[in-house]
Amino acid sequence: MEQILETLLFASDEPLTLARLREILTPGTSEPRDDGQDSVAVEIKQALAAIRARYSREDSPVVILEVAEGYQFATNPRYAAWIKKLFKDRTSFRLSQAALETLAIISYRQPITRAEIEEIRGVEVIAALETLLEKNLVRVSGRKETVGRPILYATTPEFLRQFGLRSLQDLPVVDENASQGEEAAPFIPDQGAQNPMAPPATDHQNN
Amino acid sequence: MDSEFEVHLDLYEGPLTLLLYLIERDNLNIFDIPIAHITEEYLRHIDSLRADGEYLGGEFLVMATTLMQIKARLLLPRPVEEGVQIDPREELVSKLLLAQRFAKVAKLFGDRLQIMERYAFRPPPVFENEEYTVAQRPADLAQAFRKAYDEFKLVHGDAYAIAADPFPVEAKIEKIMSLLAGKNAVAIADIWRDETARGGLVACFLAILELIKRGSVRAAQKTPYGEIFLVKVLLS
């Protein structure tokens, strides 16, 4: 089971959901349930946990991330410096403050129209929206049934992947009525660095 | 430039960002903003920015007006609603709080991206968005045609070519239908990509219009400003 899952994850270029893995392993059976009663789903989850434990024990060059409601291989962040050297001519993924704020508003208030975003930010957001659409972090999800039928925007699975989130539920909890000074809760922990058995997360740059 | 006004680039972001900066800089209580003070500071700031040749959008002036309006209202007796005095600053404060909250979340988003930058995925996945949701108006099609025509002129020159063959629109319709065979949609750029004569390009465009008129296809994009596709209309 572990070997099969590793093979599938290695070959896939997008997150594989539990349902998808289950369908491949036991085709034609009923829909997976995530209630602990579904023996195949439980088995898959246990196998994935075992793989992750083994990788972490061996300081494996790859890690399994749970993103966009699925599982996907990524390189171990401990060796990020080497990847950077490999792709040195690729520019890293940066977003302006305007784009980040616009994305934050969309992710919490989706689906949302441009006018509604601008109401919160107090400025035009056309340029930021274009950037987000171009980077496939945001998509057009429909039109609002109101005067002028304005376009509605929502986040994409790619957004979840880029931010290492399993689903929108992983967004930091924000209490919009909280008083000044109260911080928003942080994001879920960095998954690759979650194992307490792992050696200290220093970069392996020069060995 | 007065060193007092050395500002971070983000302040040009908008009036709310500027106000939040001033509140933080002067350690003001957001729930009890001294309006006279902040109005003065705000105006000094935008004057100074403008003196430096910065272009400030109209929203900065709207905010200046709002601030002065609030300042004036504070001098008048306040309206009472259900026994509670309405604070003229209330609306502004709630806007500022919301903007502040999202600015903080945006900071978290930025930090998160930096963490995630340390992971490389193999190979970068592309989530195919098969939804063609953005309907095209005739003007969009005309614009797409003009663009294709300009590119065509660059490649093939502007000279009049004497065509050996006429370009029956019907033949182009068949071409489009064969491109669409077994598929749901085809990019319009792919329809006229291999045309080498001006007449052929025009015939393709007319064929596209004809197919849309017949209702067998519709023109749509996956995302605004994206490529325009002809999408098969499935008859029920």
Side-chain angles (χ1 to χ4, degrees):
Chain A
M1 172 76 101
E2 288 181 31
Q3 278 73 16
I4 299 169
L5 289 174
E6 285 178 85
T7 309
L8 294 173
L9 289 173
F10 175 76
S12 177
D13 62 354
E14 59 174 33
L16 290 174
T17 59
L18 190 60
R20 186 81 202 287
L21 291 169
R22 191 188 191 287
E23 170 62 25
I24 295 168
L25 289 164
T26 53
T29 52
S30 58
E31 281 293 295
R33 299 187 311 269
D34 203 2
D35 55 3
Q37 304 295 309
D38 182 334
S39 62
V40 184
V42 168
E43 219 180 309
I44 292 172
K45 284 190 141 183
Q46 281 170 351
L48 286 166
I51 297 169
R52 286 176 125 174
R54 169 155 50 87
Y55 284 1
S56 147
R57 221 166 31 238
E58 293 169 357
D59 188 23
S60 161
V62 290
V63 294
I64 295 176
L65 290 190
E66 213 178 329
V67 287
E69 314 205 319
Y71 298 89
Q72 189 177 17
F73 267 152
T75 59
N76 189 330
R78 282 158 57 76
Y79 303 98
W82 295 100
I83 296 285
K84 221 170 187 169
K85 284 180 189 171
L86 176 64
F87 298 129
K88 58 174 179 288
D89 44 350
R90 282 195 208 168
T91 49
S92 57
F93 193 83
R94 289 260 185 276
L95 289 174
S96 67
Q97 181 68 16
L100 281 172
E101 279 187 28
T102 306
L103 183 60
I105 293 168
I106 294 172
S107 59
Y108 284 91
R109 295 285 183 90
Q110 58 184 303
I112 185 171
T113 67
R114 199 182 85 202
E116 288 162 349
I117 304 169
E118 288 174 347
E119 173 64 24
I120 295 173
R121 294 209 53 225
V123 278
E124 280 198 353
V125 296
I126 300 175
L129 258 182
E130 276 181 19
T131 308
L132 296 172
L133 285 164
E134 190 198 322
K135 291 196 189 288
N136 193 21
L137 296 170
V138 162
R139 68 193 168 90
V140 172
S141 68
R143 281 171 181 277
K144 190 169 188 175
E145 292 306 329
T146 174
V147 182
R149 301 188 71 235
I151 292 175
L152 285 165
Y153 299 93
T155 54
T156 61
E158 176 65 7
F159 160 73
L160 294 176
R161 200 191 61 82
Q162 292 278 7
F163 283 80
L165 305 175
R166 288 167 297 190
S167 71
L168 291 173
Q169 259 108 57
D170 277 347
L171 286 170
V173 178
V174 174
D175 179 2
E176 282 170 11
N177 300 313
S179 58
Q180 187 187 15
E182 245 178 78
E183 295 296 325
F187 271 101
I188 55 158
D190 178 11
Q191 297 181 42
Q194 68 184 358
N195 195 312
M197 301 292 288
T202 46
D203 277 346
H204 290 220
Q205 290 193 26
N206 301 307
N207 52 355
Chain B
M1 183 174 174
D2 195 324
S3 66
E4 188 187 345
F5 286 127
E6 260 183 46
V7 290
H8 198 260
L9 194 69
D10 285 350
L11 294 190
Y12 308 118
E13 262 309 311
L16 292 175
T17 317
L18 178 52
L19 283 178
L20 286 171
Y21 162 76
L22 294 173
I23 288 167
E24 199 180 325
R25 189 198 65 181
D26 297 351
N27 220 352
L28 306 176
N29 178 359
I30 200 165
F31 295 102
D32 189 17
I33 303 172
I35 283 291
H37 170 76
I38 204 153
T39 306
E40 196 183 315
E41 283 302 304
Y42 180 87
L43 292 176
R44 274 174 68 189
H45 231 93
I46 62 172
D47 279 348
S48 145
L49 289 176
R50 277 206 297 204
D52 287 342
E54 281 304 323
Y55 168 77
L56 294 180
E59 62 268 13
F60 280 92
L61 297 178
V62 173
M63 180 58 75
T65 319
T66 307
L67 287 171
M68 288 188 277
Q69 219 170 38
I70 294 172
K71 194 174 153 190
R73 275 209 208 119
L74 279 170
L75 300 172
L76 301 169
R78 302 184 191 176
V80 175
E81 210 170 80
E82 287 171 15
V84 183
Q85 275 196 348
I86 305 288
D87 191 323
R89 297 171 295 185
E90 199 175 291
E91 197 188 329
L92 178 65
V93 168
S94 63
K95 271 191 177 183
L96 282 170
L97 283 175
L98 195 56
Q100 187 185 48
R101 207 130 267 277
F102 276 114
K104 278 184 185 156
V105 175
K107 169 100 183 19
L108 291 177
F109 272 45
D111 295 346
R112 184 70 176 183
L113 271 186
Q114 269 189 354
I115 292 175
M116 291 309 293
E117 212 172 58
R118 296 165 56 76
Y119 294 91
F121 293 87
R122 69 136 297 227
V126 176
F127 288 89
E128 185 62 25
N129 178 359
E130 281 299 344
E131 290 166 48
Y132 301 90
T133 46
V134 187
Q136 297 297 292
R137 294 163 302 143
D140 298 320
L141 285 174
Q143 200 190 354
F145 175 73
R146 260 198 303 277
K147 189 168 153 258
Y149 185 56
D150 289 342
E151 282 166 4
F152 181 87
K153 279 198 292 193
L154 277 177
V155 177
H156 299 287
D158 197 17
Y160 284 90
I162 297 169
D165 300 310
F167 298 95
V169 172
E170 206 52 50
K172 297 303 176 195
I173 289 178
E174 277 170 31
K175 176 184 172 186
I176 294 170
M177 292 319 282
S178 69
L179 282 171
L180 270 170
K183 279 197 250 167
N184 178 36
V186 60
I188 61 170
D190 289 338
I191 293 171
W192 52 49
R193 177 154 296 140
D194 58 353
E195 295 296 336
T196 53
R198 199 202 299 228
L201 184 64
V202 174
C204 281
F205 186 63
L206 291 176
I208 290 169
L209 295 181
E210 178 64 27
L211 281 171
I212 294 173
K213 196 178 99 187
R214 289 183 192 173
S216 19
V217 297
R218 64 192 174 87
Q221 293 163 319
K222 291 175 180 179
T223 55
Y225 314 107
E227 203 171 357
I228 300 176
F229 290 83
L230 284 191
V231 186
K232 256 191 224 169
V233 175
L234 301 172
L235 301 172
S236 49

